């Protein structure tokens, strides 16, 4: 299961994991919660709070904005990422399957972050660029959220192995197709 944030941020935090090629979610990235707590829905074993975060830097000349740098990141927010206590008793292969399902949520956020970069490169901005960028990222976030729900629905939270395999392949193909946008930085003249 996944939840989202879309926000302008300043600086890095150890409570946030930024999507990085080869870095996979691990058990220690999750807070362990009692099985009876309602922090995580009863039917799921984990909740990964992923998001699309952007950073905006404005370059000014004589106090007038002349260009902006937009950095878009796929993130996991550790303070709101949970696994149920029962997961600790699962055998290694079941734990690994659960972690890979949650990793795909993170990968989906990366797909949408890369799509955002691609679209931001051609987005026309006005003097109201801060709001326009915030609105754009919020819309991208909502599209990602719908896609994440579809992923969980079709894979039954990773329990439908055949569907999970199909999604794994589709997610990998989408990441490959968006490889040109992996850097996730857009510089625009104003």
């Amino acid at each position: 299961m996944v939840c989202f944030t879309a926000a302008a941020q300043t600086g890095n935090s150890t409570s946030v994991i930024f999507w990085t090629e080869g870095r996979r979610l691990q058990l220690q990235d999750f807070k362990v919660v009692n099985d009876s707590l309602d922090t995580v829905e009863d039917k799921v074993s984990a909740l990964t709070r992923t998001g699309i975060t952007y950073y905006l830097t404005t370059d000014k000349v004589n106090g007038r904005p002349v260009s902006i740098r937009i950095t878009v990141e796929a993130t996991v927010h550790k303070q709101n990422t949970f696994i149920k206590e029962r997961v600790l008793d699962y055998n290694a292969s079941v734990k690994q399957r659960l972690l890979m399902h949650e990793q795909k949520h993170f990968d989906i956020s990366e797909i949408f972050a890369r799509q955002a970069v691609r679209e931001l490169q051609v987005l026309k901005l006005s003097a109201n660029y801060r709001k326009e960028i915030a609105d754009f990222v919020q819309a991208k976030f909502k599209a990602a959220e719908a896609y994440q729900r579809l992923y969980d629905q079709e894979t039954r939270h990773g329990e439908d192995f055949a569907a999970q395999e199909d999604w794994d392949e589709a997610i990998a193909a989408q990441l490959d197709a968006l490889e040109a946008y992996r850097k996730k930085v857009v510089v625009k003249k104003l």
Side-chain angles (χ1 to χ4, degrees):
M1 179 168 193
V2 70
C3 292
F4 289 94
T5 60
Q9 297 284 327
T10 56
N12 293 347
S13 169
T14 57
S15 67
V16 175
I17 302 168
F18 294 91
W19 192 96
T20 306
E21 189 80 40
R23 201 279 191 203
R24 299 286 170 236
L25 293 176
Q26 304 164 15
L27 280 177
Q28 57 266 31
D29 295 328
F30 295 78
K31 285 184 180 178
V32 178
V33 295
N34 186 292
D35 292 344
S36 64
L37 292 180
D38 62 359
T39 309
V40 179
E41 290 179 37
D42 188 44
K43 65 182 176 179
V44 298
S45 298
L47 179 137
T48 303
R49 179 149 184 129
T50 70
I52 300 169
T53 305
Y54 73 98
Y55 307 87
L56 181 61
T57 307
T58 305
D59 293 323
K60 296 180 180 182
V61 173
N62 297 326
R64 187 175 92 76
V66 292
S67 68
I68 57 172
R69 176 183 299 270
I70 310 159
T71 304
V72 182
E73 297 284 354
T75 54
V76 164
H77 302 268
K78 289 172 68 170
Q79 69 274 16
N80 295 311
T81 296
F82 307 98
I83 59 166
K84 291 208 171 168
E85 200 171 39
R86 67 179 179 246
V87 172
L88 301 177
D89 294 330
Y90 292 174
N91 71 44
S93 66
V94 174
K95 283 184 214 174
Q96 186 59 33
R97 191 177 70 238
L98 173 64
L99 286 172
M100 288 309 298
H101 174 80
E102 296 305 311
Q103 177 64 45
K104 296 307 176 192
H105 280 295
F106 200 6
D107 293 346
I108 288 169
S109 288
E110 174 66 7
I111 288 166
F112 278 83
R114 290 180 186 188
Q115 288 175 356
V117 168
R118 180 185 62 200
E119 294 164 26
L120 280 166
Q121 288 178 346
V122 296
L123 183 67
K124 301 290 185 212
L125 298 173
S126 70
N128 196 17
Y129 64 90
R130 288 184 185 278
K131 181 178 181 338
E132 292 165 350
I133 292 168
D135 290 348
F136 169 82
V137 173
Q138 184 63 34
K140 185 56 67 179
F141 163 82
K142 287 184 180 200
E145 189 174 41
Y147 197 72
Q148 297 275 13
R149 281 193 302 270
L150 179 64
Y151 167 62
D152 266 340
Q153 179 184 13
E154 289 189 358
T155 65
R156 290 187 5 256
H157 300 281
E159 295 300 316
D160 183 329
F161 301 154
Q164 183 67 56
E165 189 173 310
D166 290 344
W167 272 89
D168 291 350
E169 291 172 10
I171 290 166
Q174 290 174 62
L175 283 171
D176 285 345
L178 294 163
E179 178 68 23
Y181 306 99
R182 187 172 72 153
K183 189 172 178 196
K184 297 188 301 292
V185 177
V186 178
V187 177
K188 296 185 76 74
K189 302 260 187 239
L190 296 174

